[in-house]
Amino acid sequence: MPTEPYDIVIIGTGAGGGTIAHALSDSSARILLLERGDFVPQEDENWNPEAVWKQRRYQSAERWLDDRGEEFRPYTHYNVGGNTKFWGSVLYRLRREDFQAMEHMEGVSPAWPIDYATLAPYYERAERLYHVHGELGTDPTEPARGAFPHPPIPHADGMATIVEQLRRQGLHPSPLPLGIRDGCVLCNTCNSFACKVHAKSESDVCCVRPALERPNVTLWTNAYATRLITNAAGDTVVAVEVERNGDTLRVESSVFIVSCGAVNSAALLLRSACDTHPAGLANSSGLVGRRYMAHLATMMQGFHPFRKNATVFQKTVAINDFYFRGPDTTYPLGQIQSQGRTHGVMAQTVVPQVPLSWYEWWVARGVDWLAMSEDLPSRDNRVTVDRDGRIHLTYRPNNLKAHRMLVKETRRILRRLGFWVVMTHSHGRKNTTHQCGTIVFGVDPRESVLDPYCRAHDVANLFVVDASFFPSSAAVNPALTIAAQALRVADHIKDTNL
Ligand SMILES: Cc1cc2nc3c(=O)[nH]c(=O)nc-3n(C[C@H](O)[C@H](O)[C@H](O)COP(=O)(O)OP(=O)(O)OC[C@H]3O[C@@H](n4cnc5c(N)ncnc54)[C@H](O)[C@@H]3O)c2cc1C
Ligand code: SF4
């Protein structure tokens, strides 16, 4: 069933799609946003650990297959705002060095086709759009930059004490850059929860809703893009096929922006294989779906039996001392961040046999951290789709030695802080939270799928604007970089009158 034609169709409303929709909304272009999910309702369950972690109320029910053919339920969310709705809102710029090739313990992190200076003005805009709070001059790895739009979120008393103790260990703790809006009550249900009072800076409230106030922007929710259709020559996308309310619709447009997240964007291009693109749309390089990265992430909790943790909002501290080199190695190890408070129900999802009361007692005495390292792009780590269109994810984490050293060092730091026991947990091969890299950008069409403005080398009116374009994963949270590049691509689209 054909619909009215649009100038720009954006598929997905997360960090990439929502941000670029907002940036393009002040143009005269007729813009259609397609989102497979719906709005997340504002309801008590938003902040209910049982609903979020036990019933998994907001998590996608989809099942993917791993490299052994085993089904798993990916930790991802299909709704307006995408995963930003549930993110921790830690909004980092990549370090200047992350844009250059960097030697790691198990290989090289490749250079980006743009440098930090190119993205810096867009980082600044993205930080304003997402209300980032932070402090200039305390992070030893910080790239050249101006002041943050907002002052840092103050540490709670317990965290302030820990920061002092970290300094006494010779470390350089710095405030985490956080995207938070007026009305935030600094609760203990932020990361992995939707904000019931809409005070978290995420794509739904910062970008999509404001964009929808413009008459030229339309949003279809529950609209699943199944495939992109090209002209006979294969050099232009003419339409997207959409499943909505039981109908299959054909939407035509001049420009198509794919922003489905790194796994789903690759899957959409692969599902769009046709006579002129037999290996998948825009896939003459063979790289669509390859080079999947997700960060090496280990959750860590320091526990002390006689020290109750009174902190409510805990996620304010970063330790970047080992970002470029470890204490016992010249190679980069990664970043350490304090995390939101673990709830008993959350902990119970790891080992359900242990009674909840026991977990509650334990987490009341724990302080939570995340150790995060860069994983390196590998052609073998990839997204594929089978004949039924189902997603297969093959991911063998690499650079593990460096990550183990970071975890060991974090453990040492926590022991020095007086914690008796340090617990660790990782999603390993099923890690999808910081997924990126499956549709890489670059200058050489043989070595990349997109050009430096995220336009497909093979298809003139096709852009991919989400975490897919990352040539390397760096070791800071990815989303501010996705948003900054989305703003840059929007300017490019406007400048070139596409
Ligand atoms: C719990 C959690 C905490 C996180 N914390 C942080 C953090 O603190 N800092 C940070 O930088 N990052 C964080 N992240 C990661 C961050 O959320 C992602 O990097 C970011 O949202 C990715 O943006 P994206 O545009 O690539 O994809 P997404 O935000 O995932 O958006 C993709 C959108 O596309 C839609 N979609 C998918 N397929 C289709 C289709 N075929 N048709 C129509 N629509 C489709 C989805 O429903 C979704 O809305 C976190 C992630 C999670 C899950
Ligand atoms: S900490 Fe603030 S932004 Fe986060 S969920 Fe609570 S009120 Fe919302």
Side-chain angles (χ1 to χ4, degrees), residues 47 179-181 183-191 193-201 313 315:
W47 280 345
I180 277 176
R181 291 151 42 99
C184 171
V185 295
L186 296 178
C187 65
N188 69 358
T189 45
C190 194
N191 187 23
F193 296 82
C195 179
K196 191 181 150 193
V197 294
H198 279 192
K200 182 153 65 174
S201 300
F313 190 82
K315 193 186 53 176

Side-chain angles (χ1 to χ4, degrees), residues 16 35-36 75 78-79 82-83 88-90 224-225 433 466-467 477 479:
E35 170 52 56
R36 70 189 288 176
Y75 182 47
Y78 298 148
N79 47 259
N83 282 300
S89 217
V90 174
Y224 176 62
T433 314
D466 58 19
N477 315 57

Side-chain angles (χ1 to χ4, degrees), residues 41-246:
Q42 268 178 289
E43 55 185 6
D44 288 345
E45 286 85 349
N46 292 162
W47 280 345
N48 182 333
E50 178 114 355
V52 171
W53 278 95
K54 204 163 181 179
Q55 292 149 16
R56 299 202 260 177
R57 184 176 176 85
Y58 305 108
Q59 188 182 330
S60 161
E62 200 174 49
R63 300 290 197 276
W64 296 349
L65 296 148
D66 68 13
D67 57 327
R68 303 178 191 118
E70 279 172 24
E71 274 195 353
F72 69 102
R73 187 173 168 185
Y75 182 47
T76 193
H77 306 83
Y78 298 148
N79 47 259
V80 177
N83 282 300
T84 73
K85 202 78 200 164
F86 299 90
W87 69 10
S89 217
V90 174
L91 296 177
Y92 262 105
R93 297 183 182 199
L94 259 59
R95 316 291 85 179
R96 184 179 56 80
E97 295 82 348
D98 288 324
F99 291 84
Q100 301 156 3
M102 207 190 296
E103 225 19 91
H104 280 254
M105 212 170 280
E106 290 179 26
V108 175
S109 166
W112 287 41
I114 57 173
D115 59 10
Y116 171 72
T118 305
L119 214 50
Y122 298 99
Y123 274 133
E124 200 179 318
R125 277 173 55 190
E127 284 174 344
R128 269 187 271 123
L129 184 60
Y130 284 95
H131 307 265
V132 178
H133 296 243
E135 187 174 48
L136 188 65
T138 45
D139 176 346
T141 65
E142 186 172 70
R145 54 161 302 140
F148 284 84
H150 302 277
I153 304 296
H155 301 303
D157 289 349
M159 291 314 282
T161 306
I162 285 180
V163 166
E164 273 316 307
Q165 290 170 333
L166 291 171
R167 288 209 181 100
R168 283 204 290 275
Q169 290 189 28
L171 297 165
H172 301 85
S174 50
L176 274 176
L178 291 171
I180 277 176
R181 291 151 42 99
D182 287 349
C184 171
V185 295
L186 296 178
C187 65
N188 69 358
T189 45
C190 194
N191 187 23
S192 79
F193 296 82
C195 179
K196 191 181 150 193
V197 294
H198 279 192
K200 182 153 65 174
S201 300
E202 33 89 345
S203 162
D204 172 20
V205 296
C206 292
C207 300
V208 177
R209 289 177 200 240
L212 289 175
E213 287 169 14
R214 305 253 180 189
N216 55 322
V217 182
T218 305
L219 166 69
W220 290 359
T221 53
N222 301 307
Y224 176 62
T226 48
R227 70 188 178 109
L228 296 158
I229 301 161
T230 64
N231 61 0
D235 56 7
T236 306
V237 178
V238 290
V240 57
E241 204 172 78
V242 181
E243 281 174 11
R244 191 178 189 219
N245 304 328

